[in-house]
Amino acid sequence: MPTLKVTVGERDRLDQRTRSRIKAAQEGEDLDDAQPVLNFGSYAELSRLLSPKNLELLEAISEHEPESIREAAELVDRDYKQVHRNLSELDDIGVIEFEGGGAGHAKKPKLTYDGLEIDIPFARSNGDIGAAAP
């Protein structure tokens, strides 16, 4: 599994990178080294991903490979509904995925990436990135 690069407020730079990669692909260049990137519009959005509860869930999934959301909730000693909500949010942004889950079957949370690489270039901040909650 690759590592997911997480950035904040870099849409312009990412758009330019995407255009460059499209041009390179059209010219026949090999693009196998592409690292997946998840960009957040603000530090507040990033802080949701990096909340202690989400990080605890990701670590528990990595170490114990729970067979269900309920088992994941038990591993972190939290309410099923809260863990379900957190895992659904992590699934929505592609950090985890669910296997199974058909009628009467448990959904198994699985990591999509080996880890997260956080890239926050403070020198380029232009002031319109929302501040994270304390």
Side-chain angles (χ1 to χ4, degrees), residues 64-76:
H64 303 284
E65 299 181 2
E67 294 295 321
S68 66
I69 296 171
R70 186 164 310 285
E71 186 179 336
E74 291 169 3
L75 287 169
V76 295

Side-chain angles (χ1 to χ4, degrees), residues 2-74:
T3 299
L4 176 64
K5 182 176 182 177
V6 179
T7 63
V8 177
E10 294 190 10
R11 292 206 194 279
D12 292 340
R13 196 174 105 195
L14 290 175
D15 289 346
Q16 179 58 39
R17 180 176 180 257
T18 300
R19 284 190 292 275
S20 296
R21 291 186 61 76
I22 290 170
K23 182 178 178 186
Q26 290 171 339
E27 294 173 358
E29 292 182 32
D30 184 17
L31 301 176
D32 288 341
D33 66 337
Q35 181 181 26
V37 177
L38 175 62
N39 185 64
F40 290 98
S42 70
Y43 293 126
E45 291 175 22
L46 174 64
S47 72
R48 287 192 60 156
L49 169 66
L50 296 179
S51 74
K53 291 183 179 194
N54 279 351
L55 293 175
E56 181 183 31
L57 271 173
L58 293 171
E59 186 175 339
I61 293 168
S62 174
E63 289 180 13
H64 303 284
E65 299 181 2
E67 294 295 321
S68 66
I69 296 171
R70 186 164 310 285
E71 186 179 336
E74 291 169 3

Side-chain angles (χ1 to χ4, degrees), residues 69-114:
I69 296 171
R70 186 164 310 285
E71 186 179 336
E74 291 169 3
L75 287 169
V76 295
D77 193 30
R78 291 182 44 215
D79 179 69
Y80 171 85
K81 288 181 183 179
Q82 293 172 347
V83 170
H84 184 278
R85 186 189 74 234
N86 291 138
L87 290 176
S88 294
E89 290 172 350
L90 291 169
D91 179 48
D92 287 345
I93 61 173
V95 174
I96 68 152
E97 61 187 9
F98 290 110
E99 284 185 351
H105 294 90
K107 292 195 304 187
K108 178 178 181 172
K110 303 229 2 156
L111 296 178
T112 309
Y113 301 98
D114 283 334

